Amino acid sequence: MMKMEQIVYGGPAKQILAIPDHYVALGFKHAKATANAPGLAVLEDGKYMIKAGTIYPANDATAIGVVLNDYDVTQSDAMLAVVIHGFIKTAALPTLPSANALAAMKQITFNPVIDMGLVLTCKEAEIAVGEAKDVEHTVNVYLTGATFRDAAATLTNWTIAGETTNKVVVKSIVVSADRTYVTITTKNSAAAVAGSTTVVPEAAAISTGQEPAAAVTIATVA
């Protein structure tokens, strides 16, 4: 029996670009999809389709870009156009990129910015009022929803509050090897006074280029 396939040309293409005339795309081959090896394709109305907006080659730290158009890989291989630089409409994505994928795709801006729900946590240093000048404390500040960049080791990439009040100042910041936390060392600039020191990293210190919604307390003097 002869098998016939109906193809509709000239239908409206899904537009994922926020700025259509400003992007760079590269070509990547995707193999014909099968039930056992669908690759990036999803089964839709009997066809294996790679949807525009799919993160390529995977929605993780290996991501390099976003698939520009829909591609049918039911009957044969397809050459995909993958955007590696440009502005992408967040609403056009079939699935939001993971924090690791966002961090990996440094030349792509998603509009509006994707809120990854960044959260800082810390077991704060508890310091007694009157603790002597030059005493140091060390705390770890953990980040969920993204990772720290090397720039997190630079004090000017943080907003630090409370130092002048309680005399507990941030001396240094070291980024962990896996970038999931930073180690902050504080030093008393004078005898400790009641109050708290809080910190929050700026966008330059975070892999996703976003800032956490709230600061975290690293030291409390009481």
Side-chain angles (χ1 to χ4, degrees):
M1 177 184 292
M2 180 180 295
K3 183 177 182 179
M4 298 183 67
E5 179 182 10
Q6 181 180 15
I7 301 176
V8 178
Y9 295 96
K14 183 176 182 180
Q15 179 60 269
I16 68 167
L17 297 171
I19 304 179
D21 60 351
H22 181 93
Y23 72 96
V24 175
L26 298 178
F28 294 90
K29 185 178 180 179
H30 189 287
K32 172 186 173 180
T34 65
N36 292 328
L40 295 176
V42 294
L43 189 60
E44 187 176 85
D45 296 329
K47 294 184 178 181
Y48 285 103
M49 302 295 300
I50 300 173
K51 307 300 291 183
T54 299
I55 308 302
Y56 182 91
N59 195 1
D60 55 26
T62 66
I64 61 172
V66 181
V67 176
L68 181 58
N69 302 303
D70 288 342
Y71 294 92
D72 185 346
V73 286
T74 307
Q75 302 297 331
S76 62
D77 300 347
M79 185 62 69
L80 314 181
V82 177
V83 177
I84 62 167
H85 169 80
F87 298 82
I88 303 294
K89 294 188 293 187
T90 303
L93 303 177
T95 302
L96 291 179
S98 66
N100 287 335
L102 276 176
M105 297 184 291
K106 295 180 174 61
Q107 296 188 68
I108 293 180
T109 298
F110 292 92
N111 184 28
V113 173
I114 298 171
D115 181 6
M116 298 304 298
L118 306 185
V119 177
L120 298 170
T121 56
C122 173
K123 177 63 173 68
E124 66 193 81
E126 298 178 349
I127 302 171
V129 171
E131 185 180 72
K133 178 182 178 181
D134 294 333
V135 174
E136 297 184 359
H137 296 270
T138 300
V139 298
N140 292 332
V141 174
Y142 295 86
L143 175 65
T144 57
T147 55
F148 288 105
R149 291 176 174 167
D150 290 338
T154 302
L155 296 186
T156 54
N157 286 327
W158 292 73
T159 298
I160 304 171
E163 293 177 309
T164 58
T165 300
N166 65 3
K167 310 306 178 184
V168 179
V169 303
V170 175
K171 177 185 176 183
S172 65
I173 301 176
V174 177
V175 182
S176 68
D178 64 3
R179 302 179 183 277
T180 60
Y181 70 93
V182 295
T183 299
I184 298 180
T185 300
T186 66
K187 183 176 182 178
N188 297 350
S189 62
V193 178
S196 298
T197 299
T198 64
V199 300
V200 63
E202 297 181 356
I206 305 297
S207 61
T208 58
Q210 298 173 275
E211 296 182 18
V216 67
T217 299
I218 61 170
T220 297
V221 181

